[in-house]
């Protein structure tokens, strides 16, 4: 069992100050938020070796996962990454200036565009994905494999329940 942490202290303070409150969810979500921040910062540092941000990596990774010819319309990228069109445009501008993606007219839609991963972009995202995964693997090594699997299942269940309430 892990040592007590700051989240335990926060939960205890609420229990003391408001005994009827039942702050147990804070123990889960407080740790999820903190973990997401710490892992996100580690990923950001990793991707900085390739002079890209985590957000830019996400765009490159979405294109790479799409399979050859590694092309998607900007709207599909925007939906996949839950971004505004303005946020996506900024990322695509930076990636295009770096030679990692190319925008071109969509032959199926005169008004549309396609975003394609360049060879340099494909090479970069594959290296960065391997490095990012190594960081995640190293961080998860704090748990035995069966706990990692159980945690993934629990988070999948919780995510589905929360996403279902959003709709």
């Amino acid at each position: 069992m892990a040592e007590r942490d700051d989240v335990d202290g926060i939960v205890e303070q609420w229990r003391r100050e408001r005994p009827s409150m039942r702050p147990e969810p804070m123990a889960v979500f407080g740790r999820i938020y903190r973990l997401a921040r710490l892992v996100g910062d580690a990923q950001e540092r990793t991707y900085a070796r390739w002079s890209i941000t985590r957000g830019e990596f996400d765009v490159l990774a979405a294109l790479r996962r799409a399979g050859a010819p590694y092309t998607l319309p900007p709207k599909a990228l925007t939906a996949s990454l839950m971004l505004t069109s303005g946020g996506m445009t900024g990322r695509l501008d930076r990636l295009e200036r770096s030679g990692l993606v190319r925008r071109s007219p969509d032959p199926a839609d005169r008004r549309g565009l396609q975003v394609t991963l360049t060879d340099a972009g494909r090479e970069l995202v594959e290296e960065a994905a391997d490095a990012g995964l190594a960081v995640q693997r190293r961080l998860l090594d704090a748990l035995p494999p069966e706990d990692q699997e159980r945690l993934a299942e629990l988070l999948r269940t919780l995510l589905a329940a929360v996403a279902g309430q959003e709709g």
Side-chain angles (χ1 to χ4, degrees):
M1 188 119 149
E3 290 183 27
R4 295 179 45 73
D5 61 15
D6 291 341
V7 175
D8 290 317
I10 291 167
V11 170
E12 285 178 7
Q13 288 169 337
W14 278 114
R15 279 189 184 130
R16 182 187 69 236
E17 295 300 316
R18 303 244 343 254
S20 64
M21 180 188 250
R22 298 188 57 222
E24 293 79 10
M26 290 179 187
V28 173
F29 292 104
R31 288 186 180 98
I32 288 173
Y33 297 146
R34 288 167 186 242
L35 187 59
R37 189 189 76 235
L38 292 169
V39 174
D41 290 351
Q43 295 296 107
E44 198 72 55
R45 287 189 300 275
T46 299
Y47 300 142
R49 291 187 279 184
W50 287 273
S51 301
I52 60 172
T53 65
R54 191 170 49 161
E56 292 164 347
F57 170 84
D58 290 343
V59 172
L60 298 172
L63 289 165
R64 177 60 183 90
R65 290 190 319 266
Y70 315 114
T71 300
L72 291 170
K75 284 185 180 182
L77 286 167
T78 300
S80 169
L81 302 176
M82 297 185 295
L83 284 173
T84 65
S85 60
M88 180 56 68
T89 299
R91 288 183 190 182
L92 292 176
D93 287 346
R94 288 186 299 275
L95 292 168
E96 192 169 39
R97 278 194 304 272
S98 299
L100 302 174
V101 302
R102 177 179 65 254
R103 285 184 270 204
S104 58
D106 184 341
D109 177 1
R110 291 183 333 164
R111 296 172 296 161
L113 287 176
Q114 291 184 2
V115 180
T116 303
L117 196 59
T118 64
D119 289 342
R122 186 175 50 77
E123 184 177 310
L124 182 146
V125 75
E126 288 179 1
E127 290 176 16
D130 288 341
L133 191 56
V135 168
Q136 292 172 354
R137 208 173 265 121
R138 178 180 51 80
L139 296 172
L140 271 177
D141 280 346
L143 298 174
E146 60 275 5
D147 286 351
Q148 293 178 31
E149 290 175 25
R150 182 69 180 134
L151 178 59
E153 290 172 16
L154 291 169
L155 290 172
R156 180 186 306 109
T157 300
L158 182 59
L159 181 58
V162 172
Q165 292 178 12
E166 292 292 311

